[in-house]
Amino acid sequence: MARYDVLIRGATVYDGSGGVPFEADVAIDGERIAAIGSLDGASAALEVDGSSHALAPGFIDVHTHDDFACLQHPDMAFKTRGGVTTCIVGNCGFGAAPHAAALEMIGALAPAAAVPDYAGHAGYLAALEAARPALNVGMLAGHGTLRLAAMGRAARAPEAAELRAMEDALDEALEAGALGLSSGLIYEPGRYAATEELIALARRMRGTGALYASHLRDEAAGLVDAVGEAIAIGEAAGVPVQISHHKAAGRDNWGRVAETLRLIESAQARGLAVHADQYPYTAGSTLLRAVLDNGAFRDDVAPGGIGRVTPDDVVVAAAPGQAGWEGQSIAALAGLLGLAPRAAAEHVVAHAPGATAIIHMMSEDDVQAVLRHPSTMIGSDGIPTLDGRPHPRLYNTFARVLGHYVRDLGVLPLAEAVHRMTGFAAAKFGLVDRGTVRAGAFADLVLFDPATVIDRGTFEAPNRYPAGIVDVFVNGARVVAGGVPTAARPGRVLRRAG
Ligand code: ZN
Ligand code: CU
């Protein structure tokens, strides 16, 4: 009689392929799935009743800013309790190396206190392994960080030696196992890079399987051209492309995702592996400083990559040392401070330089059009300011897709949504034996109740865990049991294969 470490009995298995779900027992031995089927005679050290629940591969959050959070909060409960078993870090140009530049870049997004010293991307991954996070982590190198280290905030093209320094740092990242290169072309200093600079860097990845992910230069009036730029970079360099947090920002631009989805389809038809990720909300979130850099609350300049926003659209999320401002709109703060909106926002940034904001800027129709489209996978884009009022996407992204958009609104079938969160993401990011429920694959699994799974975090009270996520396994070890985190920290660094 077979005996396993773990046996999950009678669950409805969504295997990550998008195919028809089936009822089965799933057995785990060590860190991998040992058997799937009718395992009536078998026993296990831990038996879990999966009946009336769905069992899926653990969710892969392809767009995170958890580079330092994985070191600072290795339990990563804000992700595991939402069913996430793998985070891809290093997005939007904010990468983890070189170290000093990373402290400046990622430290601007979330507090960088207690981040250890390390050398290069290899050193970062070694620090991660020493910290033993509860979930798996894959890394992108960040163009903004590479550029900051090579040439500071210079608003010009790199000189030959500066470009070589960026190329060397990217080569080091790829050697260490980076899954790709990200850019953030609305941010300091990535916004100063011309298309040619990005092509030159992306070319280093040709033939390696690593991808180019981009926070586009413009998600507003220039959205269509900006998607075209990302596709052109991928085609010129010969690398796959990932459009980060696909959206149309600003009321004037709503509806433009119809065009960008068509651009993606035609590039795919030409043979380019181009896809996108999305978080399931009509509000975004970023540095308040970046909102100001975008020309917000001014009539004398055209809005930049975030589009036109009103003082009511922008709400302070985290304001380190100034908690009283958190949750207030710029309109409200302007009244409170007796300042014009732009001056009020500048006042916030002057007193809390790392302040982040939530920006209400998308249309519900666009969110659903992007979610429905087969090119879209799921990425939270959460900014892990656990003490402030982060965007609720940090905790709730996957549960909201499954509960709100799949069950309640019927935007896409459950098996398809699971595929977008698992097998699809694993294939794109080159994660071998992940994102699938199959004998021999790593036992990254989530058991959830499709009837009750739902996001519970709101903009007013974001620090709430979702409901309906029952058990979560990472590499065969249970990190969430009955909705509650265990002490297990079995996560691995996921390096690019080959
Ligand atoms: Zn971004
Ligand atoms: Cu991001």
Side-chain angles (χ1 to χ4, degrees):
M1 189 180 97
R3 188 162 168 86
Y4 300 103
D5 292 336
V6 181
L7 194 47
I8 303 164
R9 289 195 190 274
T12 303
V13 176
Y14 291 77
D15 68 3
S17 70
V20 183
F22 54 93
E23 199 182 306
D25 308 322
V26 173
I28 301 172
D29 246 346
E31 54 189 17
R32 291 186 187 251
I33 296 169
I36 302 170
S38 185
L39 305 171
D40 282 346
S43 64
L46 172 65
E47 301 208 10
V48 175
D49 177 14
S51 56
S52 79
H53 284 16
L55 183 69
F59 306 139
I60 298 170
D61 190 346
V62 298
H63 190 112
T64 85
H65 294 286
D66 294 334
D67 310 59
F68 288 170
C70 289
L71 301 171
Q72 295 165 318
H73 312 284
D75 61 280
M76 291 298 288
F78 61 95
K79 288 292 166 75
T80 60
R81 290 182 73 169
V84 174
T85 59
T86 295
C87 277
I88 307 295
V89 302
N91 276 283
C92 297
F94 294 73
H99 185 263
L103 284 187
E104 200 172 326
M105 294 284 297
I106 302 172
L109 284 180
V115 172
D117 197 14
Y118 52 78
H121 297 86
Y124 168 70
L125 294 180
L128 260 185
E129 277 166 341
R132 296 188 302 116
L135 43 61
N136 304 311
V137 184
M139 174 192 70
L140 303 173
H143 164 260
T145 308
L146 303 186
R147 198 178 211 272
L148 185 65
M151 54 188 291
R153 293 175 188 271
R156 55 166 172 80
E159 289 169 8
E162 292 165 339
L163 182 61
R164 207 169 315 119
M166 286 190 264
E167 289 172 344
D168 288 348
L170 175 58
D171 288 350
E172 186 273 329
L174 294 168
E175 184 75 18
L179 306 174
L181 171 71
S182 77
S183 67
L185 304 182
I186 67 158
Y187 293 113
E188 290 276 325
R191 60 209 298 243
Y192 303 123
T195 309
E196 300 73 59
E197 174 181 332
L198 298 159
I199 292 171
L201 289 169
R203 253 195 205 117
R204 315 294 292 185
M205 305 191 290
R206 178 181 230 140
T208 66
L211 57 78
Y212 171 69
S214 185
H215 180 148
L216 303 173
R217 206 177 284 282
D218 195 323
E219 295 180 323
L223 171 67
V224 175
D225 287 346
V227 169
E229 181 188 25
I231 287 171
I233 290 167
E235 291 188 321
V239 300
V241 173
Q242 183 79 2
I243 309 285
S244 297
H245 38 65
H246 192 182
K247 70 165 81 66
R251 191 173 295 270
D252 304 345
N253 307 304
W254 290 356
R256 287 206 166 135
V257 299
E259 291 168 69
T260 54
L261 290 169
R262 273 202 303 275
L263 270 187
I264 289 174
E265 287 169 8
S266 55
Q268 287 178 339
R270 293 194 299 272
L272 183 69
V274 53
H275 306 89
D277 49 70
Q278 180 192 30
Y279 50 83
Y281 293 87
T282 53
S285 180
T286 190
L287 293 167
L288 183 55
R289 183 190 296 276
V291 178
L292 287 170
D293 288 346
N294 174 68
F297 323 127
R298 294 174 61 160
D299 296 324
D300 55 328
V301 295
I306 299 173
R308 196 177 300 284
V309 289
T310 71
D312 286 306
D313 293 336
V314 180
V315 179
V316 176
Q322 304 286 349
W325 294 341
E326 292 171 355
Q328 308 247 35
S329 70
I330 295 302
L333 282 171
L336 212 69
L337 297 166
L339 295 168
R342 176 138 186 123
E346 280 166 349
H347 182 84
V348 172
V349 169
H351 290 82
T356 52
I358 287 161
I359 309 119
H360 296 276
M361 59 176 170
M362 286 166 255
S363 83
E364 181 62 31
D365 285 351
D366 282 358
V367 168
Q368 294 190 23
V370 170
L371 185 57
R372 205 174 285 120
H373 196 268
S375 64
T376 305
M377 52 195 89
I378 309 299
S380 70
D381 199 15
I383 301 172
T385 50
L386 304 185
D387 296 332
R389 285 204 203 207
H391 190 303
R393 66 192 183 183
L394 179 66
Y395 299 75
N396 287 279
T397 282
F398 293 82
R400 181 168 168 83
V401 171
L402 296 172
H404 181 64
Y405 283 107
V406 171
R407 182 191 57 237
D408 296 345
L409 299 185
V411 172
L412 70 174
L414 180 53
E416 173 66 16
V418 168
H419 172 61
R420 308 282 195 87
M421 298 171 174
T422 61
F424 183 33
K428 181 71 189 280
F429 284 80
L431 309 179
V432 179
D433 289 345
R434 308 269 174 192
T436 174
V437 182
R438 162 172 61 67
F442 286 99
D444 294 344
L445 296 166
V446 54
L447 186 71
F448 65 95
D449 183 349
T452 63
V453 65
I454 197 70
D455 57 302
R456 291 175 60 244
T458 62
F459 289 101
E460 292 71 36
N463 299 309
R464 285 190 193 145
Y465 301 104
I469 306 287
V470 181
D471 281 290
V472 181
F473 293 84
V474 174
N475 297 313
R478 189 154 66 159
V479 298
V480 172
V484 179
T486 69
R489 297 202 333 232
R492 291 280 195 79
V493 168
L494 305 184
R495 294 180 169 84
R496 202 180 68 265

